[in-house]
């Protein structure tokens, strides 16, 4: 209705990554509005993330849940993932709505096509000139300066030596102590990434994945060790907590990584582990990554043909927003004290 076509909700089933998996899985695309590429069904229906009315509702939900900063999936102007339209045009709208609800916005830089340190620096300049002075653009106090923060997804695809060109004071493209300086947060997936991240000159790391055990970084049992490594090396550790994981409506072969929600027990265990690590910042995966079933956005029970969507029953549709408010308040109080 808003975009003139479906994006994302009609996601196709992805073929198995394992070439030795010869089982027969569903194929083809989902057909919204009832049939969507997710195991849960959104209370708002299959919406457009470019619709200002939807964005307003989303930001209100987040503000009510005591979320302080929204990290939005970002591609440079004119670029996008293969399942959606370019997203940079939504940033000005989000920044304006964020002011209304007292929220801040930062960018989660996706592995856009052709990403290199040379064009990454160019995009930093674009972001600085376009959004850098907006009051809702998130900044972190570092010494006497307030610097923006960037999450860099799949940062390991570029070598530490290349990243040093931007992040080292001596790099030929260095942004340090310039107007483009920022707090750069790398994605830690494997154990060895901790050393690469330090060598590359990143300021910290996050773990992103909501499935406990899926990667070294997303395994709760490793968070104490990661927090300790970060502390000893003056890095920021940002564990990523999630309410569960279920993506079999797009990756029908991936049930081994499913993490049932268990009426909030899974989410609360993740939060408890993150705070005990300890960590000053916690990121939530996710507000609305519906394909992977990590959303805290309200979902409702629904049946579509012979498929019955998962739901939050017997809890309310806002249950995971309420849990987020509880734990983000605990985090804020812990950080202050």
């Amino acid at each position: 209705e808003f975009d003139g076509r479906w994006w994302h909700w009609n996601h196709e089933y992805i073929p198995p990554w394992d070439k030795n998996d010869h089982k027969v899985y569903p194929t083809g695309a989902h057909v919204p509005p009832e049939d969507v590429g997710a195991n849960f069904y959104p209370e708002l229906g299959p919406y457009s993330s470019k619709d200002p009315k939807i964005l307003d509702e989303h930001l209100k939900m987040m503000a009510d849940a005591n979320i302080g900063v929204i990290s939005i999936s970002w591609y440079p102007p004119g670029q996008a993932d293969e399942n959606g339209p370019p997203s940079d045009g939504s940033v000005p709208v989000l920044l304006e709505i964020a002011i209304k609800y007292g929220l801040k916005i930062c960018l989660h830089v996706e592995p856009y096509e052709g990403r290199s340190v040379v064009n990454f620096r160019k995009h930093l300049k674009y972001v600085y000139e376009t959004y850098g002075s907006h009051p809702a653009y998130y900044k972190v106090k570092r010494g006497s300066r307030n610097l923006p923060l960037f999450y860099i997804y799949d940062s390991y695809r570029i070598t530490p030596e290349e990243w040093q060109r931007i992040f080292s004071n001596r790099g030929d493209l260095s942004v340090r102590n310039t107007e483009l300086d920022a707090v750069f947060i790398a994605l830690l997936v494997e154990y060895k990434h901790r050393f690469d991240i330090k060598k590359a000159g990143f300021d910290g790391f996050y773990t992103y994945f909501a499935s406990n055990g899926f990667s070294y970084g997303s395994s709760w049992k490793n968070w104490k060790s990661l927090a300790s490594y970060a502390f000893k090396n003056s890095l920021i550790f940002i564990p990523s907590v999630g309410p569960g994981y279920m993506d079999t409506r797009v990756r029908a072969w991936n049930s081994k990584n499913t993490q049932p929600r268990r009426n909030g027990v899974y989410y609360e265990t993740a939060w408890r582990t993150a705070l005990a690590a300890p960590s000053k910042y916690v990121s939530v995966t996710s507000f609305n990554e519906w394909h992977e079933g990590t959303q805290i956005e309200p979902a409702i029970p629904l049946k579509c043909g012979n498929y019955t969507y998962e739901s939050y029953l017997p809890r309310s549709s806002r249950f995971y927003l309420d849990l987020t408010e509880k734990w983000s308040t605990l985090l804020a109080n812990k950080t202050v004290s």
Side-chain angles (χ1 to χ4, degrees):
E1 197 174 300
F2 189 84
D3 294 324
R5 57 159 294 183
W6 294 109
W7 292 104
H8 287 287
W9 299 108
N10 60 344
H11 204 298
E12 291 193 351
Y13 279 102
I14 299 168
W17 290 337
D18 180 358
K19 296 296 169 234
N20 298 315
D21 187 347
H22 300 303
K23 292 190 187 126
V24 177
Y25 296 103
T27 56
H30 290 280
V31 186
E34 272 78 39
D35 171 25
V36 299
N39 292 77
F40 294 81
Y41 194 84
E43 186 171 67
L44 294 175
Y47 53 76
S48 167
S49 289
K50 293 170 108 175
D51 183 342
K53 290 201 294 294
I54 293 290
L55 294 175
D56 192 282
E57 288 198 60
H58 280 171
L59 269 65
K60 183 178 190 313
M61 287 177 197
M62 290 188 238
D64 290 345
N66 203 26
I67 290 166
V69 182
I70 306 165
S71 178
I72 58 170
S73 172
W74 186 79
Y75 288 84
Q79 291 192 250
D81 72 22
E82 66 275 21
N83 296 298
S87 57
D88 180 63
S90 296
V91 179
V93 187
L94 281 159
L95 286 166
E96 284 308 303
I97 301 170
I99 291 179
K100 176 175 164 185
Y101 293 111
L103 293 163
K104 302 287 184 190
I105 304 280
C106 76
L107 303 184
H108 188 219
V109 182
E110 297 286 359
Y112 55 85
E113 195 169 338
R115 188 172 70 180
S116 68
V117 294
V118 174
N119 61 35
F120 179 71
R121 193 184 198 283
K122 193 177 76 191
H123 297 316
L124 285 178
K125 189 167 175 17
Y126 165 80
V127 170
Y128 168 76
E129 289 171 351
T130 315
Y131 309 124
S133 60
H134 197 286
Y137 186 57
Y138 181 52
K139 299 210 169 123
V140 184
K141 195 155 179 55
R142 297 286 273 181
S144 61
R145 305 173 70 199
N146 289 314
L147 300 177
L149 182 143
F150 292 91
Y151 288 95
I152 303 174
Y153 190 70
D154 279 4
S155 47
Y156 57 82
R157 290 194 189 179
I158 291 174
T159 65
E161 291 74 18
E162 276 292 292
W163 282 125
Q164 280 175 353
R165 296 175 64 192
I166 290 189
F167 300 147
S168 159
N169 284 320
R170 296 183 303 282
D172 63 317
L173 299 171
S174 182
V175 297
R176 298 306 187 188
N177 301 309
T178 73
E179 62 187 17
L180 303 184
D181 204 354
V183 175
F184 298 100
I185 305 295
L187 174 63
L188 185 139
V189 181
E190 299 171 21
Y191 176 84
K192 74 179 186 70
H193 287 162
R194 58 172 76 190
F195 310 111
D196 294 342
I197 285 164
K198 172 75 177 160
K199 183 180 177 185
F202 281 98
D203 301 289
F205 53 88
Y206 72 121
T207 60
Y208 185 74
F209 302 106
S211 185
N212 178 31
F214 171 70
S215 69
Y216 177 85
S218 74
S219 300
W220 303 339
K221 68 179 192 309
N222 298 325
W223 287 358
K224 259 197 173 9
S225 156
L226 286 170
S228 167
Y229 180 81
F231 180 75
K232 287 175 186 154
N233 290 282
S234 304
L235 296 168
I236 299 166
F237 170 50
I238 308 181
S240 304
V241 302
Y245 187 92
M246 188 178 282
D247 66 356
T248 52
R249 295 271 287 168
V250 292
R251 300 183 188 100
W253 38 269
N254 196 34
S255 57
K256 67 178 182 296
N257 285 311
T258 293
Q259 294 289 355
R261 295 190 172 219
R262 305 191 346 251
N263 286 322
V265 171
Y266 184 85
Y267 194 37
E268 295 209 82
T269 307
W271 267 104
R272 199 172 287 113
T273 311
L275 265 60
S279 55
K280 188 177 164 191
Y281 302 86
V282 175
S283 68
V284 175
T285 304
S286 64
F287 177 74
N288 65 343
E289 174 45 284
W290 288 89
H291 301 314
E292 297 186 339
T294 60
Q295 78 291 334
I296 59 170
E297 184 185 355
I300 54 168
L302 188 75
K303 198 170 187 320
C304 171
N306 58 7
Y307 181 73
T308 303
Y309 286 96
E310 302 286 326
S311 74
Y312 305 160
L313 292 175
R315 313 292 190 175
S316 80
S317 65
R318 299 184 67 86
F319 179 59
Y320 290 95
L321 290 173
D322 294 341
L323 284 184
T324 305
E325 181 189 12
K326 169 187 164 179
W327 284 97
S328 54
T329 303
L330 283 170
L331 172 67
N333 292 341
K334 185 171 182 274
T335 305
V336 168
S337 60

